[in-house]
Amino acid sequence: MLVRFWGTRGSLAKPHRNAMRYGGNTSCVEVRSNAGTLVVLDCGTGAHDLGQALVEETDGALGGHMLISHTHWDHIQGIPFFTPFFSPDCSWDIYAPHNLNQSIEETLSGQMVYTYFPVTLHSLGATIRYHDLVEGTFQIEDMTVRTRYLNHPALTLGYRLEVDGVAVVYACDHEQYPRGHDEGLGAQNARHVEFLRGADLVIHDAQYMDAEYDEKSGWGHSTAEYAVEVCLAAGVKQLALTHHDPLRTDDAVDEIVGNLSKKLLNDGESLRVIGAAEGQTIRFDSRAAAATDNDSQWFPAAVAIAPAMSEHSILLCSADNHISGQVSAAAAAEGIHLDTAVDQAQAVQAIEDHSQSLVVIDESLGHAQALKVCRKVREQGSRSTPQAPIVLLANSNYTPVELAELCTDRIVRPFSQEYLRTRLRTWVLRTTCRWVRARLPDNEAARLEALHDLNILDTATEERFDRIVRSVAEALDVPIALVSLVDSERQWFKAHLGLEARETPRDMAFCAHAILDDDVMVVPDTFLDSRFADNPLVTGDQRIRFYAGCPLRLPNGHVMGTLCLIDSRPRQLDGGQISVLKEHARMAEAELVNKPSAD
C-alpha cells in the first residue's frame, strides 16, 4: 500500500514562506493498493497538484475513487480543478456522507453554479458516479472501506481502508467528545478508539493543542494530544497529524511533533508520530490480513435511505423554552417530526404511546426526572424493538454517574445550531439506516438435511396449509400470513396469503432471524429496528412495517421455518394474540410431519 499526501492544511489554504515544508494546500491524500486501486481521500486544494501528477503518470484512460469526508469548502474546493474530471476517457466514483435532504451530487453542484464558477459540475467530461454513504462498510475493488461518523459541525465520515493486510484510517475534522464523569475517555471517545483499533497508520485531525482548545471548543477539531491519546488506546503503529492550523508555521509543527515524540519515548511507547507534509510518501509491505471484526456487525454503508424521514420522530424532554426552540428548529431543518414534553409525566406518556427514533433529554428537567425518563426508554427496549438512543443536553462536562451510564451521548453547552443539527442527524441516521443479515444456526447442516428430508420444498399449494394461514390471518386481522421454510439460500412459502411471491432471498428474510429464537419474534415497527430498517422488503414495494414469526419445530428439535404474520402498518401483539399465533404454528408443525390425506 502507498499513501501520498497532497494537502495537509486545515480550514483555509495558506501559501506562506513559513509553511513550505508541511505545505499550504487543504486536505487531499492519495492511497493505492498493491493491485493498483486508486483512492483519493478528500478533494481540497491539494487535489490540483494530484490531478496534474495522475495525468502525467498515467497512459490511457484514468479511473479512481474519491472519498469525501464532508462538504465544507476546504475539503471539496479542488473538485473544479481536478484535471482527470475533465477528460472523457476518465471514469470516477465519488463517495460522501448522505445528507437527509440533499444528495452529494446536488451538494457538489452548489459550489459550481454560475455565481461561483464558470463551469458546472455536469459540464465535466469524465464519467462520474455518485454514492451517498451512511455509517457502515462497503467494497472498492480489493479494498474494504469502513465508515464511521466523526464529531464535527457538518455530517462527517471517517474512513478505514483495509487492503494487502494493512489498515489506514483517515479521521479528518473530528473533535474529541465530552469526557466521562470519571475523566476517562467516555463511551463516544471509546467508540472512536475502536474505529482506529490496530491501524498501521492513522491520519488524524490535530488542528489545535490542549492549551488552545478552550477557545476552540465546538469548532469540530481535535488537539494533537487527543490524537496521540486515542491512538495509544487503540494500539496504532503510526500517527500522522494533519489539518494543520492556517496560522501554524513549519517550525511550530516541528515543535509539536518533537515534544510529543519525546514524551512517547520517555514513556516507553512504540507509537510513532509525524507531521503530515505535502509530497510525503509512506509505503507498507503487503502481508497476511489480520483478523478484524465480523462483517456481520457492520451495516452496508452504500444503502439508499429509503424510509422517509417523516416516518421517524424525535422526543424532546425539556423545560427550557430556548432549548426547545433550538431543537425544534434543528428537527424542522432536517424534516424530522418532533414531539415535546416539558416534564417527566409527559415524557413517559409519549414513550408509552409512540416509538421514537431518538430521545433528547435536557438537564433542565432536573437529574431525578431525567433519570426516570431514561429508565422508561430503557424499559421499552427489547430484542425485537431496540432501545432508542438517548442524547443528554448537559450543562457541563460533569454528569452524575447513574445518569451518564443510561445516556447514549451527551452534547455539552454551549453548542451552535449547526452542531446540534448535525448530531441529531447523525443519531437518526444511525438508528434508521441499518440492515443486518441473520447468522446461521449452530446446527445448520443438520437442520437443512431435516428440511430436505421432508420432501416439501417446491411442492404445490395444499389446502391443509392454506387453511391455517387463512385462519390465523382472520383471527389476528393481518393482510399477510405465510408458512415459510428457510432453505440454504432462500425462504420458500408453502402457504402464502396476501403475497404473490413464492420465495425471497434468505439474506432478506425476517424468518431467518426468527428461526434463531425459541419463542415468537415480534417486530412492532421495522423502521425502528436496526436489523430491518433498510431491508429491501421494508424499503421496497412490500413496505413491511410489522412482522411476527413463530418457529416451526420438528419433533427432533430442528426448526424448519416459521408461521409468520406481516402488515404494512406498525402494530403490537398482546399475550392472547401471541397464544393464537402459537396454536396455529402447532397445527402447521403437525402438517409438516403428516402425509397429506388421499382426498
Side-chain angles (χ1 to χ4, degrees):
M1 183 190 261
L2 174 146
V3 178
R4 185 160 49 169
F5 295 94
W6 294 91
T8 63
R9 190 63 54 176
S11 301
L12 176 70
K14 186 69 173 181
H16 192 271
R17 63 181 180 275
N18 292 323
M20 298 291 288
R21 284 184 284 113
Y22 289 98
N25 281 307
T26 57
S27 301
C28 184
V29 180
E30 171 192 3
V31 179
R32 290 182 183 269
S33 73
N34 189 51
T37 302
L38 169 62
V39 169
V40 177
L41 295 164
D42 273 337
C43 197
T45 58
H48 178 265
D49 287 347
L50 169 59
Q52 298 290 322
L54 291 176
V55 171
E56 292 175 4
E57 295 170 358
T58 306
D59 293 328
L62 173 63
H65 308 267
M66 182 173 288
L67 307 181
I68 295 173
S69 63
H70 64 302
T71 54
H72 279 170
W73 270 352
D74 55 323
H75 294 260
I76 64 172
Q77 210 165 8
I79 286 177
F81 305 95
F82 189 59
T83 303
F85 284 169
F86 287 84
S87 173
D89 296 329
C90 294
S91 177
W92 284 80
D93 290 88
I94 297 179
Y95 305 78
H98 192 302
N99 287 300
L100 297 185
N101 300 316
Q102 193 174 49
S103 70
I104 179 58
E105 183 176 4
E106 292 168 332
T107 302
L108 295 179
S109 294
Q111 75 160 349
M112 295 176 65
V113 296
Y114 176 78
T115 304
Y116 305 118
F117 201 73
V119 178
T120 67
L121 187 69
H122 299 291
S123 298
L124 300 178
T127 299
I128 301 177
R129 294 170 291 270
Y130 299 91
H131 308 269
D132 297 291
L133 302 177
V134 294
E135 195 174 64
T137 186
F138 66 105
Q139 201 74 20
I140 292 179
E141 299 181 38
D142 56 337
M143 285 190 189
T144 298
V145 182
R146 305 186 189 277
T147 64
R148 178 66 56 82
Y149 289 124
L150 302 180
N151 187 23
H152 193 64
L155 194 66
T156 303
L157 285 174
Y159 295 102
R160 182 182 178 108
L161 311 180
E162 298 175 357
V163 68
D164 302 328
V166 178
V168 172
V169 178
Y170 181 76
C172 207
D173 287 45
H174 172 72
E175 181 171 2
Q176 57 213 61
Y177 293 98
R179 297 284 173 157
H181 59 273
D182 58 356
E183 298 305 316
L185 279 171
Q188 286 296 89
N189 289 311
R191 179 181 171 90
H192 186 58
V193 167
E194 289 309 308
F195 186 55
L196 311 181
R197 178 72 64 191
D200 297 274
L201 172 66
V202 169
I203 305 167
H204 202 288
D205 184 325
Q207 183 156 343
Y208 306 129
M209 297 295 293
D210 279 351
E212 305 164 328
Y213 182 64
D214 284 346
E215 296 181 359
K216 309 293 186 180
S217 177
W219 289 26
H221 298 287
S222 294
T223 68
E225 293 92 339
Y226 169 79
V228 169
E229 181 182 13
V230 292
C231 284
L232 283 175
V236 170
K237 298 177 180 64
Q238 186 171 195
L239 165 63
L241 304 177
T242 193
H243 213 271
H244 308 304
D245 192 273
L247 299 178
R248 198 84 71 202
T249 65
D250 288 336
D251 290 343
V253 177
D254 284 341
E255 183 178 359
I256 291 169
V257 173
N259 289 339
L260 292 173
S261 297
K262 182 178 179 179
K263 185 177 187 308
L264 288 168
L265 181 62
N266 291 338
D267 292 344
E269 302 288 356
S270 60
L271 174 66
R272 183 190 177 206
V273 178
I274 62 173
E278 286 183 30
Q280 183 177 21
T281 299
I282 301 174
R283 298 178 184 274
F284 297 94
D285 292 332
S286 299
R287 59 176 183 268
T292 60
D293 290 342
N294 189 320
D295 279 343
S296 67
Q297 301 302 312
W298 289 79
F299 301 99
V303 297
I305 301 185
M309 286 299 114
S310 61
E311 301 283 358
H312 303 282
S313 65
I314 296 174
L315 173 62
L316 169 65
C317 313
S318 176
D320 185 317
N321 289 335
H322 176 69
I323 288 295
S324 294
Q326 278 190 290
V327 178
S328 295
E334 297 297 338
I336 307 170
H337 177 74
L338 180 72
D339 294 316
T340 58
V342 298
D343 57 29
Q344 168 215 328
Q346 286 188 9
V348 168
Q349 189 63 53
I351 293 165
E352 290 177 345
D353 291 345
H354 307 288
S355 297
Q356 290 84 25
S357 301
L358 177 67
V359 177
V360 180
I361 301 176
D362 181 18
E363 274 195 313
S364 65
L365 285 183
H367 290 152
Q369 290 201 55
L371 270 173
K372 290 178 180 178
V373 175
C374 286
R375 288 176 182 140
K376 186 63 179 179
V377 175
R378 294 292 177 243
E379 288 170 6
Q380 291 294 101
S382 67
R383 185 174 177 193
S384 60
T385 306
Q387 301 162 347
I390 301 173
V391 175
L392 179 69
L393 303 181
N395 295 321
S396 68
N397 280 324
Y398 174 77
T399 302
V401 176
E402 193 173 11
L403 182 57
E405 289 177 345
L406 288 171
C407 293
T408 317
D409 191 10
R410 290 186 302 157
I411 301 177
V412 180
R413 294 180 177 86
F415 46 77
S416 68
Q417 183 71 13
E418 293 76 18
Y419 181 71
L420 175 64
R421 179 178 170 182
T422 298
R423 292 292 286 277
L424 295 183
R425 182 195 306 169
T426 296
W427 278 110
V428 170
L429 287 174
R430 276 183 176 147
T431 57
T432 59
C433 302
R434 297 178 174 180
W435 169 24
V436 176
R437 295 158 178 80
R439 66 173 177 83
L440 295 178
D442 295 334
N443 62 345
E444 177 68 357
R447 190 193 71 82
L448 288 174
E449 183 178 358
L451 173 62
H452 295 154
D453 285 347
L454 294 175
N455 293 317
I456 196 171
L457 294 174
D458 299 310
T459 58
T461 58
E462 298 180 61
E463 176 61 21
R464 59 193 181 115
F465 288 102
D466 292 346
R467 185 185 308 118
I468 294 171
V469 295
R470 286 198 305 269
S471 175
V472 72
E474 180 178 358
L476 299 181
D477 189 26
V478 293
I480 299 174
L482 310 165
V483 173
S484 170
L485 303 176
V486 180
D487 199 1
S488 58
E489 301 294 335
R490 60 175 177 160
Q491 64 173 347
W492 179 79
F493 307 132
K494 177 59 180 173
H496 54 117
L497 174 70
L499 187 70
E500 292 185 7
R502 290 300 304 271
E503 63 181 51
T504 67
R506 181 169 175 171
D507 273 356
M508 299 181 188
F510 285 59
C511 297
H513 292 265
I515 65 172
L516 301 173
D517 277 347
D518 292 329
D519 206 347
V520 175
M521 186 183 89
V522 181
V523 184
D525 188 345
T526 58
F527 281 8
L528 299 180
D529 193 308
S530 60
R531 295 168 296 173
F532 305 113
D534 277 311
N535 187 307
L537 297 177
V538 174
T539 63
D541 293 338
Q542 300 300 333
R543 202 70 171 172
I544 294 175
R545 288 294 299 275
F546 163 83
Y547 170 91
C550 184
L552 300 178
R553 195 179 304 274
L554 297 183
N556 61 14
H558 293 307
V559 178
M560 300 294 92
T562 73
L563 174 63
C564 67
L565 311 174
I566 292 171
D567 204 339
S568 58
R569 59 186 177 89
R571 57 183 295 171
Q572 295 277 359
L573 292 184
D574 61 28
Q577 291 171 317
I578 289 176
S579 295
V580 170
L581 176 58
K582 287 182 176 179
E583 290 171 6
H584 284 80
R586 302 295 82 82
M587 299 177 198
E589 287 175 345
E591 294 298 343
L592 285 175
V593 296
N594 291 336
K595 297 294 183 183
S597 59
D599 58 354

